[in-house]
Amino acid sequence: MSPTSETVADDLRGSSSSSEYLPVEETTASWDTRVLRGEPAAHFRDALRPDVKYITSWPAAGWTNDVMTLINLIYLGIITERVPILPPFTPSHVLQDGPASELPFGDVFDVPRMQKLMNTPILEWRDVKNRAIAGDDELGCWNVWEATQYNEPNPRRSSVPELLKLDISYTLAPSWIKLYPNYEHDQHTTFWALARLASPETREVSLVTPLPSPNNVSLAPDEQLLCYDYLYYVCAQQPYEYDFEYSPAWRFVAQYMHFTPALEKLANTYINRAIGIPDDEPTPPYIGIHVRHSDFHWACGDFPKEDCFAPLSVIARRVQEVKDELLEKSGRIVDHVVVTSDEKDPAWWQDVANLGWVAPDHSQTIQLFGPWYPVLIDAVIQSGGAGFVGTARSTMSIIAARRAATWQNGATRYVEWGRPGADDH
């Protein structure tokens, strides 16, 4: 049984203070002298080295999609030989749980470890621009969004430029960047199409009249700080490549994006308490589950929820497949199952408990840590199991399955949904 919310709250406020799980403000100090002049400045150009080239972009979706966006940004930095400057995540999908501010990348992911594993410098905007003393900066960027889809005649909107006091003038990217020309049902471009725009020759012949910035400044795309409005829909060869093992963004970037030690420790605490063992005991092997319901109802069509989403019996069948594979391939016997979900129905959760499965108790998580932390803790739990069962077509499940398979040598499955019997096999 999961501990009561009072126990979780008292314990995290007590001997294991919640402050020990919260991020500590750090910069990427080991790389600063190589890629920056010095401390974060009021104006970002004062922090950049004239002999180094950089690349940046903005988040503009839900959190997992934004994680993928920044993975794409880092990979694009690798192939263009530029240092990525990562923006913070914006709380578009957590605001329903209460007021939330932006979340720096390095508060979630272990940047020093990532840099060491990749042998690549990675910066955040907080390393470059000091928001406490920040002044306005002008910047020219490429407008990718308008060139790759036909429903919004403007660059992809993000709150981050305003947050960073950046006055951006966008230049429409050429139509040849689109993966499938003139095809309205896909928005993808490719890494190397965008990398061409980093080349001085291609940049020069691709320039058109820039869109004036909010302060009525017109600038061509910056040559030192290469900038794109949105990088979620980017692939090497086909759309949605995180579904496939060959994904270069996964192989060369994302697999090295481990969570911070503080987040991993916090997630293990939640797991141990759900299972019913002391915080300081090693977390036993488990199978993680991610069941996504609430915002997928739009895809159910005429089917009612109970026919659209897979029942727990179907999920249990996938769990058993994972258990069988772990036993067959590595001799591992895994009994614990930890469920994460956005489902709110108490009856559904009671059925989960009746199966002997457990769940992290988030009843006090927001009060203790803030609105970001339920999704962060769940992401760590999903990635840390010996096996994982996810929801088909959920980006959160897709990247969790990649992590579990790569980091834990885990067995993974997806549960299909959308109609009765969708997962029959």
Side-chain angles (χ1 to χ4, degrees):
M1 294 292 290
S2 297
T4 65
S5 60
E6 291 80 5
T7 300
V8 172
D10 291 344
D11 288 352
L12 289 178
R13 288 193 183 100
S15 58
S16 297
S17 171
S18 60
S19 63
E20 74 177 281
Y21 301 108
L22 297 176
V24 177
E25 285 288 332
E26 293 180 351
T27 63
T28 53
S30 61
W31 289 100
D32 282 351
T33 56
R34 300 191 191 189
V35 295
L36 291 176
R37 287 180 177 177
E39 296 295 318
H43 298 281
F44 74 85
R45 294 189 193 278
D46 293 335
L48 306 185
R49 288 180 52 133
D51 58 335
V52 177
K53 291 189 175 182
Y54 306 84
I55 184 171
T56 198
S57 186
W58 323 119
W63 180 65
T64 303
N65 288 19
D66 286 345
V67 169
M68 292 176 168
T69 295
L70 299 196
I71 294 168
N72 292 344
L73 169 59
I74 296 168
Y75 181 67
L76 194 55
I78 292 172
I79 66 174
T80 59
E81 298 180 297
R82 291 170 174 266
V83 178
I85 304 178
L86 307 182
F89 299 114
T90 53
S92 60
H93 279 46
V94 299
L95 290 176
Q96 69 269 20
D97 295 322
S101 60
E102 70 284 354
L103 180 68
F105 179 90
D107 287 4
V108 181
F109 298 104
D110 190 341
V111 175
R113 182 182 182 185
M114 189 177 179
Q115 290 181 129
K116 184 176 181 180
L117 291 171
M118 294 177 60
N119 194 31
T120 300
I122 298 169
L123 296 172
E124 301 179 62
W125 269 96
R126 62 179 173 179
D127 300 323
V128 173
K129 189 164 185 176
N130 185 342
R131 288 175 56 194
I133 58 173
D136 293 332
D137 288 313
E138 298 169 351
L139 181 63
C141 297
W142 287 106
N143 172 5
V144 173
W145 182 239
E146 191 173 350
T148 54
Q149 53 79 46
Y150 306 129
N151 296 318
E152 298 179 20
N154 48 260
R156 182 80 172 199
R157 293 184 175 89
S158 172
S159 61
V160 170
E162 183 179 359
L163 186 75
L164 298 174
K165 293 190 175 180
L166 298 176
D167 186 39
I168 297 184
S169 172
Y170 284 105
T171 296
L172 181 64
S175 60
W176 49 255
I177 71 167
K178 187 170 171 61
L179 176 64
Y180 300 127
N182 304 313
Y183 183 61
E184 65 177 321
H185 302 295
D186 184 80
Q187 302 92 0
H188 279 80
T189 179
T190 69
F191 289 109
W192 281 105
L194 297 181
R196 287 180 62 187
L197 297 177
S199 163
E201 291 181 0
T202 303
R203 174 188 178 277
E204 187 65 28
V205 299
S206 301
L207 293 177
V208 295
T209 303
L211 181 71
S213 71
N215 291 336
N216 204 33
V217 175
S218 294
L219 295 171
D222 201 85
E223 294 187 83
Q224 183 183 23
L225 177 52
L226 182 63
C227 174
Y228 303 93
D229 62 334
Y230 193 49
L231 294 177
Y232 173 69
Y233 292 102
V234 188
C235 63
Q237 192 272 333
Q238 63 179 321
Y240 305 110
E241 281 176 335
Y242 289 96
D243 287 340
F244 305 100
E245 286 183 329
Y246 79 86
S247 164
W250 171 261
R251 291 176 57 222
F252 297 109
V253 179
Q255 69 165 313
Y256 304 115
M257 275 174 51
H258 295 272
F259 295 104
T260 64
L263 266 180
E264 290 181 346
K265 180 179 179 181
L266 181 58
N268 285 339
T269 299
Y270 272 76
I271 296 168
N272 284 11
R273 294 180 180 183
I275 293 172
I277 62 175
D279 293 359
D280 56 358
E281 284 194 12
T283 300
Y286 63 91
I287 294 169
I289 297 179
H290 173 231
V291 180
R292 183 169 174 177
H293 281 171
S294 65
D295 63 341
F296 270 8
H297 63 84
W298 57 268
C300 290
D302 295 330
F303 293 114
K305 177 179 176 179
E306 58 270 19
D307 291 335
C308 177
F309 296 128
L312 285 171
S313 59
V314 169
I315 299 173
R317 183 174 62 199
R318 289 295 191 179
V319 169
Q320 189 59 50
E321 290 175 11
V322 167
K323 289 184 175 183
D324 292 343
E325 181 177 331
L326 290 171
L327 180 61
E328 178 184 353
K329 289 188 174 181
S330 60
R332 287 183 284 180
I333 298 175
V334 180
D335 295 321
H336 299 293
V337 178
V338 183
V339 181
T340 63
S341 178
D342 57 4
E343 178 59 61
K344 304 298 184 185
D345 182 4
W348 185 87
W349 281 107
Q350 183 58 55
D351 289 341
V352 168
N354 292 341
L355 289 169
W357 299 348
V358 300
D361 181 358
H362 285 309
S363 60
Q364 296 293 311
T365 301
I366 293 173
Q367 292 88 327
L368 288 169
F369 304 107
W372 278 104
Y373 274 77
V375 69
L376 297 180
I377 292 167
D378 284 358
V380 181
I381 291 172
Q382 294 158 13
S383 306
F388 174 74
V389 175
T391 302
R393 301 186 296 285
S394 164
T395 53
M396 190 169 196
S397 283
I398 290 166
I399 200 164
R402 284 270 162 262
R403 290 170 178 150
T406 302
W407 296 349
Q408 318 300 337
N409 193 27
T412 65
R413 296 290 190 279
Y414 295 113
V415 175
E416 293 293 339
W417 58 280
R419 57 179 173 79
D423 198 63
D424 290 348
H425 62 284

